[in-house]
Amino acid sequence: MAVAHQALANLTSAEQQRAILWLMDRLKLSPSDVGAAATTAPVGRAARGNGHAPVTSATAAWVAQKGPRTDAERITCLAYYLVHEHKKTAFRTRDLTQLNSAAGLSPFTNATVAVVSAVKKGLLSRGRGGDLSLARNGDRFVEALPDRARALQVADVTSRKR
């Protein structure tokens, strides 16, 4: 532990956070694995009684660490977070936008367009009644981020014609 502290002590706060997020990703740890200390600092509108599990700065930091470049990629990252952290396998666009807002992330220009784009790319899929789910390619894509080249390769992200 002292070696880890010594390695991080001279870094800026942002560099420390990036290093810790990188380490968590490499060790396949989620904020819930790390414990309450990593999940209790609210960001933005995180402490809202909207029926969802509490969302904190860990959500925003995790999305930032993944480095999505488009709204479709960010919506896919949020879907991944819902599935893996909140154990919610079926969701709607509204759930994704609420998670985005609760994490204090910038609002989507048009979340519906982002969802349609993610569905066309095979990152999300539509189920019965219009519910969304994270597609296998979406799961692979997010797990490979922030390595974009690998993410695009493993997920075979291409626009699919209907």
Side-chain angles (χ1 to χ4, degrees), residues 1-13 15-21 23:
M1 295 252 212
V3 173
H5 179 266
Q6 186 178 8
L8 296 172
N10 293 327
L11 300 176
T12 67
S13 179
E15 290 169 332
Q16 289 172 345
Q17 185 176 21
R18 194 171 68 242
I20 290 169
L21 289 171
L23 186 58

Side-chain angles (χ1 to χ4, degrees), residues 37-105:
T39 61
T40 56
V43 149
R45 297 164 288 238
R48 262 194 348 211
N50 59 9
H52 295 284
V55 180
T56 64
S57 61
T59 307
W62 181 86
V63 170
Q65 186 269 335
K66 288 298 181 179
R69 291 189 185 168
T70 67
D71 280 355
E73 290 178 7
R74 180 162 39 122
I75 215 122
T76 303
C77 287
L78 291 168
Y80 181 97
Y81 201 87
L82 273 180
V83 169
H84 293 279
E85 291 299 316
H86 296 268
K87 309 299 184 218
K88 190 169 185 175
T89 57
F91 44 86
R92 298 214 171 240
T93 303
R94 174 181 51 245
D95 298 319
L96 297 169
T97 57
Q98 286 175 344
L99 179 61
N100 186 71
S101 294
L105 298 169

